């Protein structure tokens, strides 16, 4: 870096820091107002605690600036701020413990203050702040890095690395258990956070599989349990499927309905039969979504794993980020950490840290020069809110000027200014207890020290729980040998299906007959699950078809409606009962059918009008003439119920 550019950047870091010092309001516990939105595109300034968009993130920037510049005034302001923030958080507890946007982020910032100042009160307060984080583990918790439980798991391990407090391992064990229970098998690999607002599980660092894989890779190294690498590599393998070499990026599968206009767009595309709208993802390159963030996870993977693919994927991510943030002279973009040039440059800085190749810092210098040019032209930096709030300069770490300043610090001092986008567990294994865990320790923390066989069992149980129970009774040795296979890239559920199908002829007739019934049901459930191309499609489809069914069942034309079993529904016969399987946005549901219900539904295997269906049903039931009307009424009521649940569809 030439001396002129370095001097400009150093001056700008201090200018940003001075502005933030001047803007602090010491009458408030959270000293800085930052830009936010109420979710309806109404932007305003408010006070909050988090590292992402609140005062804690600004305090962290000032702390690092004080260290870098040797200016005590910045350090003093930072310490005054974090003291006030921690006291407010102590007085007003919150159940939201996300690592970047919640209370765990404040704890993480306090931990950084301890590491920079050596003052143990910061560590004590960081620990005290997270004692209630068990309540963050709910069935409805997000599991992503930025807002969810995986990031919180990393925060717990970082705190344990600094303190050695054993209760943190208890919490970490619970978080691993939760994340294993929430993992979803994809066409290959694993993903999390399945919702109707996306096509399928997201790729990416902040919201997708890459960030969760990163956390499990760190955890595996930290507790010396290579089995946890299974989760990390399954997450990366999931994303591998959705890399598009023609674009040079990973697909962005968001497809949410946030406004009335989105609802109308989804409805129109459904009615027009435009499946491509619901199945084809877009492309974005940022830390939060796309190549830049995924590249951070793969650079770390090159340090922790031997698979050369991770270096290739990292290089692909870097190439895409050069294309979007270096090759194009764009002064209209933002330079925020979340989804701007400053955050994207983190992949260059990490690449430099690993390789010491100066070209990566030169890429950063180009980004920095553009940021300085934007400020010189406009007198301000565009926030991460972009054109939604073009004249409103934000102060925060991830969306505003504190983050731009932090990027400058990372560029000038890459080896001593740690990443806030992908924090690593820096120290070697903390203690001999973790490097060589005792049987007692493994027993106390069974998920932190889970075997790969146990982890694979948890994944298989997602669909094949009953089959596993039968195999544990009828073929325990064969099952144990199968689960003991050490393969991080096994396509778990298809492989299990193949294993059971090969095993069935070797079982006794009694064991085979008992297994076939439950296995057939669960296999059908898996195949139906794999037919779901888009959660967002099934969501709008279910919504509109249910409304259509509600209108139809009270219509005078109801008897003449043509119906058929829905393409996302299936009847499976078991030893015990007829089971209806039907898909919805979040998976496949099971419903036991009465013999009569099964008869009604199977009548519409091929298309018939309601009238025709009622005739066929009556013909298949022995009855007295006077019972005909009663049977028809019961069948009609059953048809209406099946329409409303989505098992039957109007043609």
């Amino acid at each position: 870096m030439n001396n002129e550019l370095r001097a400009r950047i150093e001056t700008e870091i201090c200018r940003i820091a001075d502005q933030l010092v001047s803007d602090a309001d010491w009458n408030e516990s959270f000293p800085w107002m930052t830009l936010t939105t109420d979710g309806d595109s109404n932007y305003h300034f408010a006070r909050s605690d988090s590292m992402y968009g609140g005062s804690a993130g600004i305090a962290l920037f000032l702390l690092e600036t004080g260290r870098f510049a040797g200016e005590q005034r910045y350090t003093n302001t930072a310490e005054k701020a974090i003291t006030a923030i921690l006291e407010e958080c102590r007085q007003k507890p919150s159940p939201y413990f996300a690592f970047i946007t919640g209370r765990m982020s404040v704890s993480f910032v306090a931990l950084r203050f301890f590491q920079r100042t050596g003052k143990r009160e910061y560590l004590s307060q960081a620990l005290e702040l997270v004692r209630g984080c068990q309540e963050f583990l709910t069935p409805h918790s997000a599991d992503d890095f930025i807002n969810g439980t995986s990031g919180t798991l990393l925060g717990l391990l970082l705190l344990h690395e600094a303190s050695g407090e054993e209760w943190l391992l208890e919490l970490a064990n619970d978080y691993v258990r939760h994340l294993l229970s929430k993992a979803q098998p994809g066409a290959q690999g694993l993903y999390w956070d399945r919702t109707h607002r996306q096509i399928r599980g997201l790729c990416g660092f902040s919201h997708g599989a890459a960030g969760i894989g990163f956390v499990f890779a760190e955890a595996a190294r930290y507790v010396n349990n290579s089995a946890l690498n299974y989760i990390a590599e399954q997450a990366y393998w999931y994303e591998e499927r959705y890399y598009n070499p023609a674009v040079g990026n990973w697909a962005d599968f968001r497809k949410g309905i946030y406004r009335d206009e989105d609802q109308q767009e989804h409805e129109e595309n459904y009615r027009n039969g435009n499946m491509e709208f619901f199945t084809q993802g877009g492309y974005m390159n940022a830390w939060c979504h796309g190549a830049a963030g995924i590249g951070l996870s793969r650079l770390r993977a090159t340090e922790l794993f031997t698979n050369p693919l991770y270096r290739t994927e990292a290089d692909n991510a870097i190439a895409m980020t050069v294309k979007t943030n270096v090759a194009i002279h764009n002064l209209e973009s933002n330079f925020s950490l979340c989804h701007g040039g400053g955050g994207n440059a983190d992949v260059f800085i990490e690449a430099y840290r690993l390789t010491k190749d100066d070209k990566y810092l030169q890429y950063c210098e180009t980004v920095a020069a553009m940021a300085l040019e934007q400020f010189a032209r406009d007198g301000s930096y565009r926030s991460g809110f972009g054109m939604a709030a073009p004249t409103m300069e934000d102060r925060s770490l991830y969306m505003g000027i504190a983050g731009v300043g932090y990027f400058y610090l990372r560029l000038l001092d890459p080896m001593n200014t740690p990443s806030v986008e992908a924090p690593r567990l820096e120290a070697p294994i903390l203690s001999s207890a973790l490097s060589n865990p005792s049987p007692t320790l493994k027993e106390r923390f069974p998920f932190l020290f889970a075997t790969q066989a146990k982890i694979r069992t948890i994944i298989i149980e997602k669909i094949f729980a009953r089959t596993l129970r039968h195999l544990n009774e009828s073929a325990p040795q064969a099952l144990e040998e199968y689960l003991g296979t050490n393969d991080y890239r096994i396509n778990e559920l298809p492989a299990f299906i193949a294993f059971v199908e090969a095993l069935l002829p070797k079982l006794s007739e009694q064991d085979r007959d008992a297994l076939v019934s439950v296995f057939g049901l669960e296999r059908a459930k898996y195949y139906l699950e794999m037919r779901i191309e888009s959660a967002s499609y099934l969501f709008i489809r279910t919504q509109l078809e249910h409304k259509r069914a509600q209108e139809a069942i009270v219509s005078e034309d109801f008897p003449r409606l043509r119906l058929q079993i829905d393409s996302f529904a299936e009847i499976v016969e078991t030893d015990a009962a007829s089971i209806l399987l039907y898909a919805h946005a979040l998976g496949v549901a099971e419903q036991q059918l009465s013999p009569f219900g099964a008869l009604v539904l199977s009548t519409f295997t091929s298309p018939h009008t309601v009238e025709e269906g009622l005739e066929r049903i009556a013909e298949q039931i022995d009855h007295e003439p006077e019972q005909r009307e009663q049977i028809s009424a019961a069948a009609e009521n059953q048809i209406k119920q099946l329409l409303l649940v989505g098992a039957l569809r109007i043609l």
Side-chain angles (χ1 to χ4, degrees), residues 23-151:
D23 288 345
D25 182 352
W26 300 111
N27 293 314
E28 300 286 344
S29 299
F30 304 144
W32 291 279
M33 299 277 280
T34 54
L35 194 57
T36 188
T37 177
D38 60 9
D40 292 320
S41 300
N42 297 317
Y43 296 89
H44 60 277
F45 289 96
R47 299 183 189 277
S48 62
D49 57 351
S50 78
M51 179 169 65
Y52 182 91
S55 288
I58 298 171
L60 178 59
F61 164 67
L62 290 174
L63 176 74
E64 292 294 339
T65 302
R67 174 196 60 81
F68 174 78
E71 292 285 352
Q72 193 62 36
R73 70 182 186 277
Y74 300 140
T75 305
N76 290 343
T77 301
E79 290 203 68
K80 186 176 180 180
I82 195 63
T83 299
I85 294 165
L86 288 168
E87 178 59 22
E88 181 72 5
C89 290
R90 186 188 67 80
Q91 292 187 17
K92 297 179 181 178
S94 167
Y96 184 57
F97 285 94
F99 183 57
I100 304 296
T101 59
R103 285 293 166 85
M104 182 59 78
S105 75
V106 182
S107 177
F108 173 71
V109 171
L111 174 62
R112 287 286 191 237
F113 271 76
F114 162 67
Q115 292 166 334
R116 290 302 193 201
T117 68
K119 298 177 180 179
R120 293 199 65 84
E121 59 262 33
Y122 292 131
L123 178 59
S124 297
Q125 292 178 84
L127 293 169
E128 192 62 30
L129 198 59
V130 303
R131 285 191 177 274
C133 74
Q134 185 74 30
E135 59 187 308
F136 194 43
L137 296 176
T138 73
H140 305 294
S141 295
D143 296 313
D144 63 1
F145 184 82
I146 185 172
N147 296 320
T149 60
S150 62

Side-chain angles (χ1 to χ4, degrees), residues 210 213-214 217 232-240 297-298 301 305 310:
F214 175 88
E233 298 212 62
Q234 284 276 309
Y236 300 155
W237 194 34
Y238 173 81
E239 290 184 331
E240 181 186 326
S297 73
R298 301 312 197 265
F305 304 115
Y310 297 136

Side-chain angles (χ1 to χ4, degrees), residues 221-266:
R221 172 183 174 271
Y222 186 65
V223 302
N224 196 29
N225 180 13
S226 62
L228 295 181
N229 286 328
Y230 167 89
I231 301 296
E233 298 212 62
Q234 284 276 309
Y236 300 155
W237 194 34
Y238 173 81
E239 290 184 331
E240 181 186 326
R241 182 180 178 91
Y242 302 112
Y243 175 75
N244 185 341
V247 178
N249 203 350
W250 288 259
D252 180 354
F253 289 129
R254 289 174 294 170
K255 189 67 71 173
I257 298 175
Y258 304 98
R259 307 166 300 167
D260 290 343
E261 293 88 341
D262 298 329
Q263 179 74 23
Q264 293 166 7
E265 184 181 28
H266 280 64

